Amino acid sequence: MERSGRLSEKYLDPLTITAIESLELRARLVVEGFFAGLHRSPFKGFSVEFSEYRSYQPGDDPRYVDWRAWARSGRYYVKEFEEETNLRLYLVLDSSASMGFPEPSAGAVTKYDYAATLAAALAYLALHQRDAVGLITFGEAVRTVIPPRSSKQHLKAVLSGLAASEPGGDTGIFPVLGQIAERVRRRALVAMFTDLWDETGRVIDGLKALRGKKHDIIVFHILDPAEVEFPFREQAVFVDMESDEELRLDAARVRRSYREALERFRREFRVGTADRHIAYAPVTTDTPPAQALVGYLGARSALM
Amino acid sequence: MFTFLQPLFLFLLPLTGLPIVINLLRRRVKLRVRWPSLILLKRVEERRARRRLRFVEILLIVLRMLIIAFTILTLSRPYVHSPGGSPPRDVVVIVDNSVSMAYPDGGRERYSAALDAAKNYLNSLGETDRAVILFATGGWSDELLAPADAAEALTTPPGLEPLRSYVAAVTEAAELLEESGRIREINVFCDMQASHFDGLQTFPSGGFRVYVRDIRGGPGPYGNLALADVSVRPDGNRFAVKTVVKGYGDFSPASLRVSAAGTETKYPVGGGTLSLTYSSAPGGAVELALADEPGYRFDDAFVLNLPPTPETYYYVEPTCPGAAYFRTAFDVLGSRGLGAGETPPGPTVFVTTNPSDTLESTTALNLIVPTGAVGSVGPPDWGLEITGTTRYDGKASAGEPLFDTAAAGPIRVHTYYSVTYEREWEPVASLPDGNAIIIRRAFSDVETYVLLLPVEGENAVFPRQASFVTFAGDLLGRSLELTYPDFRRFTDLSLEESNVETIDGDTLNDFFPGAEIAEPTKARGGWSFSLIFPFAAAVLLLLAAEALLAAYVTRTTA
């Protein structure tokens, strides 16, 4: 319990949770599975709650004919049910070495910490709505898998999984998306937290393939402000955190070009995912986590 | 021909490499960043490598180098002129009018040669040049004039005067040229006597062209000096005056003029030795003058005023310019008086002033030669050498006749010396008691000179003494160095003589850094054109181009 408490303190910023609860998380996606809380399923049929009658049509299953209504009215009516179902939320965290930026000695929040905070907030919220939450961390391959559960005690397991992962190793988003597509057979909401430092085209292809499996996808593109602003003004050697490859640059000379290239990079994802209704949310780690979630989920709910 | 008015700035040209150095320093890696991914940076670097930015940056460095180079060249004041021509000049002509310039070379006085050379030089200047004449011993204008106007000063040159150094004249020349934006030129027309360059060793000659122009044209320095040594001895109630004249080198035609009792006799001096005896009338005076032919140039060179009572004493009262040096010497020595009742030791000549004079206002110096001493005049062809020991024990005080033997009390004797006249050049005499005093009267083309050195006397003032020695050296045309092992007692005082040191092309810069030997005249002609404005315009254009490129780079990379 004590460890769980520490984890909660680490990842569940009370302000974040409060802010999101006030918005009433309304997922735009209705996933296959159980309804719990406020999520409504678009599917009619297997239900626990009557929805409406409609006239019998040829081909309807005779089991759903309301014989009492027939007895009263002499007409055939078929009962329809609206079913509340549990959201299956998969938190997919990139734990490659690049997510460890900036290095702890810099005294700032690493991208992984920030992503874990957001993921924990979503987990907390979802579990309180009796949604099932699972966790997948990955680097060059899937590293940790915690299957989705809807019990509130499951939060501890998710938080433990987040805390147990440390940034390291290479990034392999495309193969990981393939592995996720194989593992997650039932429709789910996949919330992915990553810096997306991989081959753009393949990553988009992987996301589209996953989307093709009927999963809904939110990509939180997490970057450090330094990655956005590129605040360097002098000659510097840049060392790739994953490959240790070195590149010598006059930072002042490439700053403008870098920022333009980053903008193009983000635009590629935004455009490449929009047509498949994959949500793309660029976030920097200096944005308050609550604000990041509220801003994004608020906008999504407006689309519902 | 391409030239620079301020070539010292060219030493700054290595600064042209500054942009490269700065660029290299900027390329030194000070920062090492562990970065999430090089994906974007690689793309950027590749794109950048393909773009013109790298070329522009190189162009920027080149532009900055050119800006520095052209700025330095502009500060160096570039000029282009035709071969043999020169850009406009501001010229100072310094003419040495020290006494050594009186020595004739090849029968011609150096001073005259210097004036002519200066005149020729001024005539060779161009119309756009400006010039001013300075005389080394002083007297100068503070205005740069057209060369012809400046040459006016040469028509009424000052006389020859003692000179210690050219420093004052050169300093004045530098001040005159300080504001000049042209080629700045200082010319010294002189006889290359090294001692006159004292003090110029550290003269900041940067920015000036300094030419030392040797006007000596004769066989050798100081070879034409003629001397007249005089001895006087009683001859009844007259005085027998013996004069020795010697000439050296190419001695110019000259004569010794002896005037006495209203008559004048000229004795030609042909470069040898003239010895004559002349008896004066009692109470008369004998005037000796060495003169060039055809005119007398050395009137009043030396006058013997013979006293009316020769049986008592003789005194010599020089009225020539050299008398001033007697006074100087006396002033140096005069504070050492003979105490009351004190007996002067050894051979004695009394030296005193006129009785009404004070130490502060001595008008003439009298050599009082006791009667007894005269009888022992030295070698016949020498000057006066006092070897006897006779003391004048009369007295004199202010307002009293100085040489009135009937007067009671001791004469006011300021000091006492033994005196030796020497012929020729040896100015040193050491007397048996260790005292030394030299009085030289030399008929030269200059004037009479006297050198007195104190035998002893704690009140003797060395700096003035040394100054006097230096001055005498200049008169002699020789370098005299006073040595004294004991400042307080001058018993071992000696005067050493050596040939005058002159400078030449090899040694000039040891005395005057940056100067160069030049012919007395230098022609000028052709055309010239200043490149300052074109170069300055180039700097401005380059600055504008640099600003545009820098803005482009900033906009591209910001």
Side-chain angles (χ1 to χ4, degrees):
Chain A
M1 282 301 292
E2 186 179 350
R3 177 173 169 79
S4 175
R6 283 201 305 271
L7 293 174
S8 298
E9 287 176 9
K10 186 174 181 183
Y11 294 126
L12 299 180
D13 178 4
L15 290 175
T16 304
I17 301 306
T18 303
I20 294 175
E21 284 182 335
S22 67
L23 280 178
E24 292 189 352
L25 177 61
R26 299 175 182 273
R28 74 173 178 84
L29 304 173
V30 179
V31 296
E32 181 183 19
F34 298 101
F35 261 110
L38 299 178
H39 303 286
R40 294 188 303 166
S41 170
F43 302 103
K44 310 280 190 304
F46 304 104
S47 73
V48 293
E49 193 169 306
F50 171 76
S51 175
E52 61 182 347
Y53 288 110
R54 65 170 173 82
S55 299
Y56 176 81
Q57 300 293 330
D60 285 343
D61 191 334
R63 287 184 296 175
Y64 299 112
V65 174
D66 189 335
W67 296 109
R68 292 183 180 174
W70 172 77
R72 287 197 298 272
S73 63
R75 294 184 178 182
Y76 296 100
Y77 290 98
V78 176
K79 287 195 283 188
E80 289 193 332
F81 301 88
E82 186 175 71
E83 199 174 61
E84 284 194 341
T85 181
N86 281 335
L87 172 70
R88 298 175 70 84
L89 172 64
Y90 275 93
L91 303 170
V92 180
L93 259 76
D94 181 353
S95 62
S96 63
S98 63
M99 291 292 285
F101 182 84
E103 295 197 317
S105 58
V109 178
T110 67
K111 291 191 287 184
Y112 181 80
D113 277 344
Y114 189 85
T117 301
L118 292 182
L122 284 179
Y124 182 88
L125 185 63
L127 287 172
H128 275 73
Q129 294 184 156
R130 290 173 292 170
D131 291 333
V133 176
L135 174 67
I136 296 173
T137 66
F138 69 93
E140 68 281 3
V142 171
R143 293 173 178 168
T144 307
V145 177
I146 298 176
R149 300 276 190 280
S150 57
S151 66
K152 288 191 177 180
Q153 290 74 15
H154 187 57
L155 178 64
K156 181 179 177 183
V158 172
L159 296 183
S160 296
L162 289 172
S165 288
E166 293 289 341
D170 293 337
T171 305
I173 298 177
F174 176 72
V176 165
L177 289 173
Q179 292 174 30
I180 292 174
E182 289 179 5
R183 286 174 180 271
V184 183
R185 297 181 179 280
R186 301 181 66 182
R187 190 175 182 182
L189 170 62
V190 177
M192 189 172 190
F193 303 87
T194 176
D195 53 15
L196 287 173
W197 292 129
D198 205 341
E199 293 179 49
T200 311
R202 297 189 68 193
V203 172
I204 292 174
D205 289 345
L207 289 171
K208 287 180 175 178
L210 188 63
R211 174 65 179 157
K213 299 284 186 180
K214 306 296 184 185
H215 300 299
D216 285 290
I217 304 171
I218 303 174
V219 178
F220 288 93
H221 185 190
I222 296 174
L223 293 176
D224 186 85
E227 290 178 279
V228 178
E229 296 297 326
F230 203 68
F232 311 105
R233 299 279 185 182
E234 53 195 324
Q235 284 284 338
V237 169
F238 292 87
V239 183
D240 193 301
M241 293 179 72
E242 296 183 2
S243 65
D244 284 336
E245 183 183 357
E246 295 186 357
L247 183 63
R248 176 184 173 140
L249 285 174
D250 183 347
R253 291 276 184 261
V254 302
R255 183 165 183 251
R256 180 189 176 94
S257 303
Y258 171 86
R259 292 164 71 170
E260 290 174 351
L262 178 65
E263 189 53 40
R264 282 194 300 274
F265 183 76
R266 283 173 157 176
R267 190 164 56 243
E268 281 182 59
F269 274 100
R270 190 178 300 113
V271 173
T273 56
D275 62 336
R276 302 302 293 269
H277 301 288
I278 299 170
Y280 171 71
V283 180
T284 54
T285 58
D286 59 345
T287 307
Q291 183 181 330
L293 289 179
V294 167
Y296 175 69
L297 295 178
R300 298 304 304 176
S301 62
L303 293 176
M304 292 286 294
Chain B
M1 301 284 286
F2 200 70
T3 188
F4 296 94
L5 299 186
Q6 302 281 4
L8 277 183
F9 279 105
L10 297 178
F11 286 110
L12 298 177
L13 273 179
L15 292 180
T16 303
L18 212 54
I20 294 178
V21 174
I22 291 173
N23 189 57
L24 290 176
L25 289 177
R26 284 188 58 198
R27 288 178 63 82
R28 290 174 59 193
V29 175
K30 298 175 184 173
L31 187 63
R32 190 176 177 85
V33 183
R34 284 188 61 78
W35 194 245
S37 172
L38 299 183
I39 291 175
L40 279 190
L41 290 177
K42 281 181 178 178
R43 286 186 202 171
V44 167
E45 186 64 4
E46 287 169 7
R47 286 170 57 83
R48 186 171 168 274
R50 290 196 301 269
R51 290 163 58 178
R52 289 177 300 178
L53 194 55
R54 196 174 293 275
F55 169 75
V56 170
E57 287 171 351
I58 293 172
L59 191 60
L60 204 52
I61 291 174
V62 172
L63 273 179
R64 286 166 180 166
M65 292 174 70
L66 286 174
I67 288 169
I68 295 174
F70 271 83
T71 302
I72 292 171
L73 291 175
T74 305
L75 291 174
S76 303
R77 308 181 71 85
Y79 255 86
V80 63
H81 58 85
S82 60
S86 169
R89 287 177 285 184
D90 281 341
V91 175
V92 175
V93 171
I94 298 173
V95 179
D96 182 357
N97 64 329
S98 66
V99 288
S100 63
M101 293 290 284
Y103 301 131
D105 288 326
R108 188 182 186 202
E109 188 186 66
R110 290 178 176 166
Y111 190 36
S112 173
L115 293 171
D116 286 346
K119 193 177 298 180
N120 290 337
Y121 177 77
L122 290 172
N123 290 336
S124 74
L125 294 176
E127 292 180 356
T128 56
D129 295 332
R130 296 181 299 184
V132 66
I133 302 289
L134 305 183
F135 288 94
T137 62
W140 37 56
S141 166
D142 57 356
E143 187 179 8
L144 288 158
L145 303 169
D149 294 335
E152 284 291 317
L154 295 174
T155 60
T156 54
L160 301 178
E161 294 181 44
L163 174 70
R164 291 188 61 85
S165 169
Y166 297 135
V167 165
V170 173
T171 303
E172 176 67 18
E175 290 176 0
L176 276 172
L177 297 177
E178 190 174 12
E179 301 298 327
S180 170
R182 306 173 166 198
I183 285 185
R184 300 184 290 180
E185 197 174 291
I186 299 174
N187 297 270
V188 184
F189 291 79
C190 65
D191 59 358
M192 314 298 282
Q193 194 167 321
S195 62
H196 291 161
F197 288 85
D198 282 347
L200 287 172
Q201 284 80 358
T202 57
F203 182 79
S205 56
F208 301 101
R209 294 181 178 179
V210 182
Y211 299 108
V212 176
R213 302 180 187 272
D214 184 3
I215 51 78
R216 291 174 301 171
Y222 320 117
N224 298 326
L225 191 64
L227 295 178
D229 292 339
V230 180
S231 63
V232 181
R233 66 178 175 81
D235 181 15
N237 61 350
R238 296 173 179 238
F239 297 96
V241 179
K242 188 175 182 179
T243 303
V244 179
V245 179
K246 295 201 74 172
Y248 300 86
D250 292 332
F251 191 64
S252 58
S255 65
L256 178 68
R257 178 169 60 93
V258 180
S259 302
T263 62
E264 178 182 287
T265 307
K266 285 203 301 182
Y267 300 90
V269 179
T273 300
L274 172 67
S275 179
L276 61 92
T277 301
Y278 185 84
S279 295
S280 72
V286 177
E287 180 178 334
L288 305 174
L290 186 66
D292 283 333
E293 292 293 350
Y296 296 124
R297 290 184 51 209
F298 304 108
D299 291 347
D300 299 328
F302 190 80
V303 176
L304 293 176
N305 285 316
L306 302 178
T309 53
E311 62 276 10
T312 304
Y313 54 82
Y314 316 124
Y315 74 98
V316 179
E317 182 181 11
T319 58
C320 60
Y325 310 136
F326 275 95
R327 287 196 293 274
T328 302
F330 184 83
D331 196 20
V332 172
L333 307 171
S335 59
R336 195 322 189 163
L338 183 67
E342 184 179 350
T343 300
T348 303
V349 171
F350 295 120
V351 181
T352 184
T353 63
N354 286 328
S356 61
D357 288 344
T358 65
L359 291 179
E360 290 74 28
S361 61
T362 301
T363 57
L365 184 69
N366 300 312
L367 293 181
I368 304 169
V369 184
T371 303
V374 177
S376 56
V377 169
D381 60 342
W382 280 41
L384 180 64
E385 180 172 328
I386 309 300
T387 57
T389 303
T390 302
R391 177 183 170 200
Y392 177 80
D393 55 2
K395 67 175 184 179
S397 59
E400 294 178 340
L402 178 59
F403 304 116
D404 183 359
T405 54
I411 189 173
R412 183 185 177 196
V413 176
H414 293 282
T415 187
Y416 55 92
Y417 296 97
S418 294
V419 177
T420 294
Y421 273 132
E422 286 192 349
R423 63 170 187 167
E424 301 181 351
W425 298 96
E426 301 304 325
V428 177
S430 296
L431 297 180
D433 61 355
N435 295 338
I437 178 72
I438 299 166
I439 297 177
R440 172 179 292 278
R441 295 187 180 86
F443 281 93
S444 72
D445 53 354
V446 184
E447 55 196 28
T448 302
Y449 61 89
V450 176
L451 174 61
L452 294 175
L453 300 178
V455 176
E456 57 183 335
E458 294 184 354
N459 294 323
V461 182
F462 175 71
R464 297 186 61 178
Q465 193 177 59
S467 169
F468 191 69
V469 168
T470 303
F471 177 73
D474 186 40
L475 282 172
L476 283 167
R478 298 191 176 195
S479 172
L480 300 178
E481 183 180 1
L482 190 65
T483 60
Y484 53 99
D486 185 345
F487 181 81
R488 304 300 297 174
R489 292 186 62 80
F490 293 93
T491 52
D492 295 328
L493 198 68
S494 64
L495 194 62
E496 295 180 358
E497 177 192 8
S498 61
N499 288 330
V500 168
E501 186 182 3
T502 58
I503 58 178
D504 55 26
D506 294 331
T507 59
L508 174 63
N509 283 166
D510 296 336
F511 294 92
F512 199 171
E516 56 183 288
I517 300 281
E519 292 299 317
T521 60
K522 187 175 183 180
R524 176 188 181 274
W527 51 268
S528 64
F529 181 69
S530 171
L531 294 177
I532 294 174
F533 291 113
F535 275 53
V539 170
L540 292 177
L541 285 175
L542 289 168
L543 279 172
E546 193 273 346
L548 287 174
L549 271 184
Y552 170 76
V553 171
T554 303
R555 194 174 62 249
T556 308
T557 61

